Amino acid sequence: MSTTSPLLLLDDERKAQLDLLNKIDESAAVEICKAALGYLSTGLNTKLITTAANNLQLDVETVRTTIDSLLWLYTECAKTKILPETLDESLKLLGYKTQIRQAFIECYTSQASQLQTILATDLALSLPHYKNLNWRFDVQIATRSMRSRKQFDPFFILKLTLINGTNGKEQVHLLEIDPLTLVHIVEQLELAMNESRSNHARRIMQTFR
């Protein structure tokens, strides 16, 4: 019984970013596919991208966006371990010409094993990650430093449990925090979440997925 991998699906935004490959000469599109493969190990090089864009007489930002999306496509293929024939069918359904499909598949299969190794090891973050959070709300009243009995000092006690990204051991942190500071932390986290949805942040994350 043969096994098949699922087709590769792209959202509308990603399709638009890769649409350049269908608009330019096939040989130029093939060169962009090959160039993107080189950036997987070295990272994006603005000077080289500018040179490539000038040689192709294309807008620099358009070429950069296309290469960003190709990097995502290569790594996504490696993550799903897509089969060459399934990849070809996926690209065909997305409207890519035969020469472009063949070039992309050839580039991907030549580096698939290395990409999967990188994704499993070199790009694996060793930072601690969240496991659990317990909290308790307390109020401190009637201390000698408080002149009025009506005064009180509310605060939260947090027990934050993290998992060490290197050795997998638990790390427990006890924190005491007042409500105003907690509100500020929540606001900053919301700002960070919104920033992570920006195009610039997506391009950075795509390179390391």
Side-chain angles (χ1 to χ4, degrees), residues 4-5 13-14 20 30 33-34 39 41 43 50 66 85 91 100 106 113 117 131 143-146 158 173-174 197 203:
T4 59
S5 54
E13 181 181 5
R14 193 72 66 183
L20 174 69
V30 169
C33 289
K34 292 179 179 178
Y39 295 127
S41 57
T50 301
T66 302
E85 55 269 27
L91 296 175
I100 299 174
E106 181 181 343
S113 178
T117 301
K131 180 182 180 181
T143 63
R144 292 182 180 179
S145 62
M146 294 181 178
L158 309 178
H173 303 273
L174 294 176
R197 299 187 184 100
R203 285 199 298 265

Side-chain angles (χ1 to χ4, degrees), residues 43-188:
L44 293 178
N45 185 304
T46 302
K47 184 177 180 180
L48 292 178
I49 290 176
T50 301
T51 299
N54 291 336
N55 291 338
L56 296 170
Q57 297 183 333
L58 296 170
D59 177 69
V60 174
E61 187 58 30
T62 300
V63 174
R64 175 189 291 276
T65 300
T66 302
I67 290 178
D68 275 339
S69 291
L70 281 169
L71 290 175
W72 172 85
L73 199 54
Y74 283 127
T75 53
E76 195 68 16
C77 288
K79 283 197 296 184
T80 59
K81 298 181 179 180
I82 191 169
L83 299 174
E85 55 269 27
T86 306
L87 178 56
D88 182 60
E89 184 65 24
S90 300
L91 296 175
K92 184 186 297 183
L93 290 174
L94 291 169
Y96 294 104
K97 300 173 184 176
T98 302
Q99 187 177 354
I100 299 174
R101 298 201 311 270
Q102 291 175 345
F104 183 88
I105 293 171
E106 181 181 343
C107 288
Y108 166 67
T109 54
S110 68
Q111 299 293 326
S113 178
Q114 181 180 349
L115 276 171
Q116 289 163 7
T117 301
I118 291 174
L119 289 171
T121 56
D122 293 348
L123 296 183
L125 296 177
S126 59
L127 296 173
H129 57 272
Y130 172 85
K131 180 182 180 181
N132 192 31
L133 176 66
N134 295 312
W135 61 275
R136 186 179 76 227
F137 181 72
D138 279 348
V139 177
Q140 185 178 6
I141 58 176
T143 63
R144 292 182 180 179
S145 62
M146 294 181 178
R147 297 180 180 179
S148 171
R149 293 181 179 179
K150 295 181 180 180
Q151 290 182 321
F152 62 93
D153 186 16
F155 59 93
F156 290 91
I157 296 178
L158 309 178
K159 181 181 179 182
L160 177 63
T161 304
L162 303 176
I163 300 297
N164 188 295
T166 302
N167 55 31
K169 293 183 178 180
E170 289 189 3
Q171 300 173 337
V172 178
H173 303 273
L174 294 176
L175 309 170
E176 183 178 311
I177 186 170
D178 63 85
L180 289 178
T181 301
L182 185 59
V183 169
H184 176 70
I185 291 174
V186 171
E187 290 174 346
Q188 293 302 308

Side-chain angles (χ1 to χ4, degrees), residues 13 190-202 205:
E13 181 181 5
E190 289 177 344
L191 287 174
M193 288 295 293
N194 291 333
E195 179 63 26
S196 71
R197 299 187 184 100
S198 69
N199 290 333
H200 177 68
R202 286 179 180 179
M205 290 187 289

